[in-house]
Amino acid sequence: LEFRRVLFRSPDSRVRVALAARLQGKELLPLISDPEYMVRITAVRKMPTELLPLVRHDPDPEVRAWVARRIDPRALADMAFDTDALVRREVASRIPLHQLSLLAMDSDMLVRFTAAERIAEEELFAFLNDSEAEVRDLARERIAKIPSLAQQLASHDRRPVMVRIHPVASKSEETER
């Protein structure tokens, strides 16, 4: 036990990574605050899933992405608004279907695309106005496969499109600039 404490404090991160690879369960807890992200990743990869919520706010996005890969899917909603797109992509691939709408307006196109791949067809209408053609096309494709939704899609397509008109500067305004 004393020898393990010495290893926890080793200045060589490779020693601490090797230690994390050998420990199990709650023995890994002291390593979640290690300054070296590789030590924390190694600990997270082996940590029991019930301990992963303790690490979901790690400063390193790679560690948080590993948490998102392994944490109980019911706990992923808390990670849906992570600052890093890598983490949110992992969340989008595992979050329960009924919570995918949390990611419909995400700033990352791959997060929205993954959500559009998995979300229930009835909820795809929100993706029809996406800024990316790939996401819009996927939503349209999936909706079109369901006859009752395809009818709604047809009426959605007939709605007038709102166009934003920008005022044009007059010649006198241009010369003033």
Side-chain angles (χ1 to χ4, degrees), residues 118-164:
R118 297 186 57 230
I119 202 164
E121 286 83 357
E122 299 81 26
E123 296 186 54
L124 280 167
F125 287 92
F127 292 88
L128 291 174
N129 298 319
D130 195 274
S131 60
E132 298 290 335
E134 293 88 351
V135 177
R136 290 190 309 267
D137 294 345
L138 174 63
R140 187 172 303 286
E141 246 176 65
R142 289 192 58 216
I143 290 170
K145 291 179 182 176
I146 311 295
S148 62
L149 296 178
Q151 290 174 343
Q152 291 178 31
L153 180 61
S155 67
H156 180 274
D157 288 343
R158 285 192 295 268
R159 288 187 196 146
V161 176
M162 297 294 283
V163 178
R164 187 174 296 177

Side-chain angles (χ1 to χ4, degrees), residues 170-177:
S170 67
K171 290 193 183 245
S172 61
E173 289 175 332
E174 284 180 14
T175 55
E176 289 175 7
R177 290 183 193 174

